[in-house]
Amino acid sequence: MSTNKDRTFDVVVVGGGPGGYVCAIRAAQLGLSVACVEKRGALGGTCLNVGCIPSKVLLQSSHHYRTAKEELAEHGVKVAGVELDLPAMMGRKDKVVADFTKGVEFLFKKNKVAYFKGAAALTGPNALKVSGEDGEAELTAKTVVIATGSVSAPLPGVAVDEKTVVSSTGALALPKVPKSMVVIGAGVIGLELGSVWARLGAEVTVVEFLGKILPPFDDEVSKQMQRILEKQGMSFKLAHKVTGVTAGKSGATVSVEPVKGGDALSLEADVVLVAIGRRPYTEGLGLEAAGVAVSEKGFIPVDAHGRTNVPSIYAIGDVAGGLMLAHKAEEEGVAVAETIAGQAGHVNHGIIPSVVYTHPEVASVGKTEQELKAEGTAYAVGKFPFIANSRAKANGDAPGFVKILADKRTDRVLGAHLIGPGAGELIAEVAVAMEFSASAEDIARTCHAHPSLSEAVKEAALDTAKRAIHI
Ligand code: FAD
Ligand code: NAI
């Protein structure tokens, strides 16, 4: 640890993930003296190192592989001898990750954020001890921001060795394509990483405790997406729970039981991916020494401004609860930095888009139909299938639909749910519209380029008033 660094800061951020590093940069932009402490040896947190970015690299690469093998012929493009070079695919992933993590280090230098490599522990409401490879340092902070993120939730009784039984981290670095893979959990990780290995040749079976895949998503989206993924070769055992996993020398046996009773069964797999959610991470953080309260599930409760029960300590991102998404963590990082600097930082937690980067993509923002029904809001549904969208059809990539939900009384857009090509990009239009409290008619009367996938959003908006043109 260098000894010549100033050890007193306006803000010390613990954790260099998307919540922490963005908060540090924004606070520095606002003229505060800032340090960020990160213990993994690289900036970017779960997202850049073992989450969003490596998974999206492998999703894109595996999509190219499947397209070259199975889909180009339809376009009159003949390719022979398509082969998988898994080490090259993994090497590219590692390079993209390294470029980004170094990029964040550059941004720290540019913004004069002091970067401490090591593990931080609070020793009081305004004091921290950092222990790293280079020794120890005591830091003093007017304000501390906790951004320590989350880790994979363990399945009781199941040991993860990151070889045969893997978490998402192991599933991002398998040395060869397994013949068979059992995925426990039909959530976002299960479907994204299950898709990667299915495209590369594994037989993938997904076991899900609840009765639908992607449980928090709109029911119609879950149902149609399941059918699409089944067509791609994935199989699902819904309403089944895993009661045990026994790892042997070459694979594992997964014991499964129907949730509502019935015959137990065993599934054999070369690799088992445990993807049943993530839990907040606060190990060794010294929360007790600083008097910071934690919830029963280990999250750090915060008020609408990100403040914990200790006035000088804030918490953001996965560790603070809510949606465990990188962009939600980033928004909270910005808002908390602005609040600390005396500005009116704010996050609209009702308008945070969620995207599942399968092919086709799934995207959602705002309320689902089941949520609107439960709260008794009268709503209109507008729906448009991509098969009727000229760009999707021209591209030869037209599964799915756009569904827009609007308030029946005011026409205000309340939610949007998409399956389809580019859904992860298209959802931004609806999120912006919702931030401006737009009506479905506002979207419908906005001129959209032709031919474009975004016309499906416009047509779904028109359909809330049953006046879509192309269906
Ligand atoms: P993290 O990114 O977890 O960062 C916390 C950092 O704090 C870590 O680097 C950790 O080392 C450090 N730390 C912890 N304790 C200490 C300490 N005491 N001292 C110093 N440092 C400490 N989200 C999306 O929005 N889009 C996606 O496509 C997406 N894909 C994902 C794919 C996978 C496989 C996974 C696992 C997650 C994915 N996520 C995605 C979720 C996303 O990664 C998280 O929501 C996001 O990283 C949370 O950011 P954070 O800053 O709160 O925490
Ligand atoms: P998840 O919460 O999305 O899904 C977990 C699934 O496992 C749920 O469907 C749940 O019902 C099921 N489950 C729980 N216990 C089970 C059991 N014992 N047996 C069978 N099924 C069980 O969690 P996941 O997929 O692990 O991802 C964690 C988080 O990471 C996500 O919630 C998301 O916030 C984030 N993430 C986001 C991505 C994105 O934005 N594209 C990509 C990957 C992760």
Side-chain angles (χ1 to χ4, degrees), residues 284-307:
L285 189 56
L287 293 179
E288 277 170 26
V292 178
V294 276
S295 73
E296 214 178 294
K297 292 195 166 161
F299 291 100
I300 301 178
V302 291
D303 68 11
H305 301 286
R307 287 192 195 97

PDB file of all heavy atoms in Angstrom, residues 284-307:
ATOM      1  N   GLY A 284     -16.995  -9.645   6.222  1.00  0.00           N
ATOM      2  CA  GLY A 284     -15.769  -8.953   6.627  1.00  0.00           C
ATOM      3  C   GLY A 284     -15.842  -7.443   6.486  1.00  0.00           C
ATOM      4  O   GLY A 284     -14.825  -6.747   6.554  1.00  0.00           O
ATOM      5  N   LEU A 285     -17.043  -6.903   6.310  1.00  0.00           N
ATOM      6  CA  LEU A 285     -17.185  -5.471   6.031  1.00  0.00           C
ATOM      7  C   LEU A 285     -17.236  -4.619   7.299  1.00  0.00           C
ATOM      8  O   LEU A 285     -17.121  -3.392   7.231  1.00  0.00           O
ATOM      9  CB  LEU A 285     -18.469  -5.281   5.181  1.00  0.00           C
ATOM     10  CG  LEU A 285     -18.749  -3.918   4.585  1.00  0.00           C
ATOM     11  CD1 LEU A 285     -17.582  -3.422   3.723  1.00  0.00           C
ATOM     12  CD2 LEU A 285     -20.014  -3.976   3.720  1.00  0.00           C
ATOM     13  N   GLY A 286     -17.382  -5.260   8.442  1.00  0.00           N
ATOM     14  CA  GLY A 286     -17.383  -4.519   9.703  1.00  0.00           C
ATOM     15  C   GLY A 286     -18.639  -3.715   9.940  1.00  0.00           C
ATOM     16  O   GLY A 286     -18.616  -2.661  10.577  1.00  0.00           O
ATOM     17  N   LEU A 287     -19.781  -4.206   9.427  1.00  0.00           N
ATOM     18  CA  LEU A 287     -21.032  -3.445   9.577  1.00  0.00           C
ATOM     19  C   LEU A 287     -21.375  -3.224  11.051  1.00  0.00           C
ATOM     20  O   LEU A 287     -21.868  -2.160  11.428  1.00  0.00           O
ATOM     21  CB  LEU A 287     -22.187  -4.179   8.877  1.00  0.00           C
ATOM     22  CG  LEU A 287     -22.106  -4.254   7.349  1.00  0.00           C
ATOM     23  CD1 LEU A 287     -23.294  -5.021   6.783  1.00  0.00           C
ATOM     24  CD2 LEU A 287     -22.050  -2.847   6.749  1.00  0.00           C
ATOM     25  N   GLU A 288     -21.065  -4.247  11.870  1.00  0.00           N
ATOM     26  CA  GLU A 288     -21.402  -4.121  13.306  1.00  0.00           C
ATOM     27  C   GLU A 288     -20.595  -3.011  13.951  1.00  0.00           C
ATOM     28  O   GLU A 288     -21.115  -2.218  14.743  1.00  0.00           O
ATOM     29  CB  GLU A 288     -21.122  -5.436  14.035  1.00  0.00           C
ATOM     30  CG  GLU A 288     -22.272  -6.408  13.880  1.00  0.00           C
ATOM     31  CD  GLU A 288     -21.928  -7.792  14.380  1.00  0.00           C
ATOM     32  OE1 GLU A 288     -21.047  -7.924  15.262  1.00  0.00           O
ATOM     33  OE2 GLU A 288     -22.548  -8.739  13.858  1.00  0.00           O
ATOM     34  N   ALA A 289     -19.311  -2.926  13.598  1.00  0.00           N
ATOM     35  CA  ALA A 289     -18.442  -1.899  14.199  1.00  0.00           C
ATOM     36  C   ALA A 289     -18.983  -0.496  13.914  1.00  0.00           C
ATOM     37  O   ALA A 289     -18.832   0.423  14.723  1.00  0.00           O
ATOM     38  CB  ALA A 289     -17.019  -2.034  13.646  1.00  0.00           C
ATOM     39  N   ALA A 290     -19.613  -0.349  12.744  1.00  0.00           N
ATOM     40  CA  ALA A 290     -20.138   0.977  12.389  1.00  0.00           C
ATOM     41  C   ALA A 290     -21.595   1.140  12.787  1.00  0.00           C
ATOM     42  O   ALA A 290     -22.163   2.223  12.629  1.00  0.00           O
ATOM     43  CB  ALA A 290     -19.982   1.184  10.880  1.00  0.00           C
ATOM     44  N   GLY A 291     -22.216   0.067  13.249  1.00  0.00           N
ATOM     45  CA  GLY A 291     -23.617   0.140  13.668  1.00  0.00           C
ATOM     46  C   GLY A 291     -24.618   0.094  12.521  1.00  0.00           C
ATOM     47  O   GLY A 291     -25.758   0.536  12.672  1.00  0.00           O
ATOM     48  N   VAL A 292     -24.208  -0.448  11.367  1.00  0.00           N
ATOM     49  CA  VAL A 292     -25.120  -0.495  10.211  1.00  0.00           C
ATOM     50  C   VAL A 292     -26.057  -1.704  10.332  1.00  0.00           C
ATOM     51  O   VAL A 292     -25.600  -2.836  10.521  1.00  0.00           O
ATOM     52  CB  VAL A 292     -24.329  -0.589   8.879  1.00  0.00           C
ATOM     53  CG1 VAL A 292     -25.285  -0.686   7.689  1.00  0.00           C
ATOM     54  CG2 VAL A 292     -23.406   0.601   8.717  1.00  0.00           C
ATOM     55  N   ALA A 293     -27.354  -1.449  10.213  1.00  0.00           N
ATOM     56  CA  ALA A 293     -28.348  -2.525  10.344  1.00  0.00           C
ATOM     57  C   ALA A 293     -28.416  -3.339   9.054  1.00  0.00           C
ATOM     58  O   ALA A 293     -28.184  -2.818   7.965  1.00  0.00           O
ATOM     59  CB  ALA A 293     -29.713  -1.907  10.622  1.00  0.00           C
ATOM     60  N   VAL A 294     -28.719  -4.639   9.197  1.00  0.00           N
ATOM     61  CA  VAL A 294     -28.975  -5.479   8.017  1.00  0.00           C
ATOM     62  C   VAL A 294     -30.325  -6.167   8.171  1.00  0.00           C
ATOM     63  O   VAL A 294     -30.778  -6.415   9.281  1.00  0.00           O
ATOM     64  CB  VAL A 294     -27.903  -6.591   7.802  1.00  0.00           C
ATOM     65  CG1 VAL A 294     -26.696  -6.103   7.078  1.00  0.00           C
ATOM     66  CG2 VAL A 294     -27.537  -7.278   9.082  1.00  0.00           C
ATOM     67  N   SER A 295     -30.940  -6.495   7.023  1.00  0.00           N
ATOM     68  CA  SER A 295     -32.241  -7.174   7.071  1.00  0.00           C
ATOM     69  C   SER A 295     -32.010  -8.658   7.357  1.00  0.00           C
ATOM     70  O   SER A 295     -30.876  -9.141   7.322  1.00  0.00           O
ATOM     71  CB  SER A 295     -32.959  -7.012   5.734  1.00  0.00           C
ATOM     72  OG  SER A 295     -32.337  -7.840   4.768  1.00  0.00           O
ATOM     73  N   GLU A 296     -33.117  -9.366   7.565  1.00  0.00           N
ATOM     74  CA  GLU A 296     -33.027 -10.807   7.844  1.00  0.00           C
ATOM     75  C   GLU A 296     -32.301 -11.543   6.720  1.00  0.00           C
ATOM     76  O   GLU A 296     -31.570 -12.485   6.942  1.00  0.00           O
ATOM     77  CB  GLU A 296     -34.458 -11.334   7.946  1.00  0.00           C
ATOM     78  CG  GLU A 296     -34.638 -12.453   8.958  1.00  0.00           C
ATOM     79  CD  GLU A 296     -36.089 -12.852   9.010  1.00  0.00           C
ATOM     80  OE1 GLU A 296     -36.904 -12.007   9.441  1.00  0.00           O
ATOM     81  OE2 GLU A 296     -36.398 -13.964   8.580  1.00  0.00           O
ATOM     82  N   LYS A 297     -32.526 -11.080   5.476  1.00  0.00           N
ATOM     83  CA  LYS A 297     -31.896 -11.747   4.330  1.00  0.00           C
ATOM     84  C   LYS A 297     -30.507 -11.221   4.022  1.00  0.00           C
ATOM     85  O   LYS A 297     -29.888 -11.591   3.031  1.00  0.00           O
ATOM     86  CB  LYS A 297     -32.789 -11.622   3.101  1.00  0.00           C
ATOM     87  CG  LYS A 297     -34.071 -12.425   3.264  1.00  0.00           C
ATOM     88  CD  LYS A 297     -34.786 -12.605   1.970  1.00  0.00           C
ATOM     89  CE  LYS A 297     -35.845 -13.691   2.132  1.00  0.00           C
ATOM     90  NZ  LYS A 297     -36.867 -13.645   1.105  1.00  0.00           N
ATOM     91  N   GLY A 298     -29.996 -10.304   4.867  1.00  0.00           N
ATOM     92  CA  GLY A 298     -28.619  -9.835   4.700  1.00  0.00           C
ATOM     93  C   GLY A 298     -28.458  -8.572   3.877  1.00  0.00           C
ATOM     94  O   GLY A 298     -27.333  -8.103   3.662  1.00  0.00           O
ATOM     95  N   PHE A 299     -29.575  -7.995   3.364  1.00  0.00           N
ATOM     96  CA  PHE A 299     -29.478  -6.735   2.615  1.00  0.00           C
ATOM     97  C   PHE A 299     -29.284  -5.578   3.588  1.00  0.00           C
ATOM     98  O   PHE A 299     -29.626  -5.678   4.770  1.00  0.00           O
ATOM     99  CB  PHE A 299     -30.761  -6.490   1.803  1.00  0.00           C
ATOM    100  CG  PHE A 299     -30.938  -7.449   0.655  1.00  0.00           C
ATOM    101  CD1 PHE A 299     -31.797  -8.539   0.774  1.00  0.00           C
ATOM    102  CD2 PHE A 299     -30.243  -7.260  -0.529  1.00  0.00           C
ATOM    103  CE1 PHE A 299     -31.956  -9.431  -0.284  1.00  0.00           C
ATOM    104  CE2 PHE A 299     -30.394  -8.154  -1.591  1.00  0.00           C
ATOM    105  CZ  PHE A 299     -31.258  -9.235  -1.471  1.00  0.00           C
ATOM    106  N   ILE A 300     -28.772  -4.459   3.085  1.00  0.00           N
ATOM    107  CA  ILE A 300     -28.644  -3.256   3.921  1.00  0.00           C
ATOM    108  C   ILE A 300     -29.834  -2.348   3.604  1.00  0.00           C
ATOM    109  O   ILE A 300     -29.906  -1.783   2.503  1.00  0.00           O
ATOM    110  CB  ILE A 300     -27.309  -2.529   3.635  1.00  0.00           C
ATOM    111  CG1 ILE A 300     -26.132  -3.468   3.921  1.00  0.00           C
ATOM    112  CG2 ILE A 300     -27.215  -1.253   4.479  1.00  0.00           C
ATOM    113  CD1 ILE A 300     -24.764  -2.878   3.638  1.00  0.00           C
ATOM    114  N   PRO A 301     -30.769  -2.216   4.538  1.00  0.00           N
ATOM    115  CA  PRO A 301     -31.942  -1.371   4.255  1.00  0.00           C
ATOM    116  C   PRO A 301     -31.539   0.093   4.091  1.00  0.00           C
ATOM    117  O   PRO A 301     -30.700   0.593   4.854  1.00  0.00           O
ATOM    118  CB  PRO A 301     -32.827  -1.547   5.495  1.00  0.00           C
ATOM    119  CG  PRO A 301     -32.301  -2.749   6.200  1.00  0.00           C
ATOM    120  CD  PRO A 301     -30.844  -2.829   5.870  1.00  0.00           C
ATOM    121  N   VAL A 302     -32.142   0.759   3.103  1.00  0.00           N
ATOM    122  CA  VAL A 302     -31.852   2.184   2.868  1.00  0.00           C
ATOM    123  C   VAL A 302     -33.161   2.939   2.678  1.00  0.00           C
ATOM    124  O   VAL A 302     -34.181   2.346   2.314  1.00  0.00           O
ATOM    125  CB  VAL A 302     -30.974   2.399   1.607  1.00  0.00           C
ATOM    126  CG1 VAL A 302     -29.566   1.883   1.828  1.00  0.00           C
ATOM    127  CG2 VAL A 302     -31.593   1.747   0.362  1.00  0.00           C
ATOM    128  N   ASP A 303     -33.114   4.281   2.898  1.00  0.00           N
ATOM    129  CA  ASP A 303     -34.306   5.094   2.633  1.00  0.00           C
ATOM    130  C   ASP A 303     -34.320   5.497   1.149  1.00  0.00           C
ATOM    131  O   ASP A 303     -33.468   5.038   0.370  1.00  0.00           O
ATOM    132  CB  ASP A 303     -34.358   6.308   3.581  1.00  0.00           C
ATOM    133  CG  ASP A 303     -33.243   7.322   3.305  1.00  0.00           C
ATOM    134  OD1 ASP A 303     -32.555   7.204   2.261  1.00  0.00           O
ATOM    135  OD2 ASP A 303     -33.068   8.242   4.124  1.00  0.00           O
ATOM    136  N   ALA A 304     -35.250   6.362   0.773  1.00  0.00           N
ATOM    137  CA  ALA A 304     -35.394   6.730  -0.639  1.00  0.00           C
ATOM    138  C   ALA A 304     -34.155   7.442  -1.183  1.00  0.00           C
ATOM    139  O   ALA A 304     -33.989   7.587  -2.394  1.00  0.00           O
ATOM    140  CB  ALA A 304     -36.618   7.614  -0.809  1.00  0.00           C
ATOM    141  N   HIS A 305     -33.260   7.898  -0.298  1.00  0.00           N
ATOM    142  CA  HIS A 305     -32.037   8.589  -0.742  1.00  0.00           C
ATOM    143  C   HIS A 305     -30.804   7.699  -0.630  1.00  0.00           C
ATOM    144  O   HIS A 305     -29.681   8.169  -0.782  1.00  0.00           O
ATOM    145  CB  HIS A 305     -31.839   9.873   0.069  1.00  0.00           C
ATOM    146  CG  HIS A 305     -32.993  10.811  -0.058  1.00  0.00           C
ATOM    147  ND1 HIS A 305     -33.215  11.554  -1.191  1.00  0.00           N
ATOM    148  CD2 HIS A 305     -34.023  11.075   0.781  1.00  0.00           C
ATOM    149  CE1 HIS A 305     -34.332  12.249  -1.049  1.00  0.00           C
ATOM    150  NE2 HIS A 305     -34.841  11.980   0.144  1.00  0.00           N
ATOM    151  N   GLY A 306     -31.001   6.418  -0.321  1.00  0.00           N
ATOM    152  CA  GLY A 306     -29.863   5.499  -0.221  1.00  0.00           C
ATOM    153  C   GLY A 306     -29.163   5.533   1.124  1.00  0.00           C
ATOM    154  O   GLY A 306     -28.080   4.964   1.280  1.00  0.00           O
ATOM    155  N   ARG A 307     -29.771   6.221   2.117  1.00  0.00           N
ATOM    156  CA  ARG A 307     -29.128   6.311   3.438  1.00  0.00           C
ATOM    157  C   ARG A 307     -29.431   5.077   4.271  1.00  0.00           C
ATOM    158  O   ARG A 307     -30.573   4.621   4.332  1.00  0.00           O
ATOM    159  CB  ARG A 307     -29.677   7.506   4.218  1.00  0.00           C
ATOM    160  CG  ARG A 307     -29.219   8.825   3.719  1.00  0.00           C
ATOM    161  CD  ARG A 307     -29.594   9.909   4.747  1.00  0.00           C
ATOM    162  NE  ARG A 307     -29.474  11.191   4.127  1.00  0.00           N
ATOM    163  CZ  ARG A 307     -30.496  11.863   3.585  1.00  0.00           C
ATOM    164  NH1 ARG A 307     -31.724  11.374   3.639  1.00  0.00           N
ATOM    165  NH2 ARG A 307     -30.302  13.027   3.014  1.00  0.00           N
TER     166      ARG A 307
END
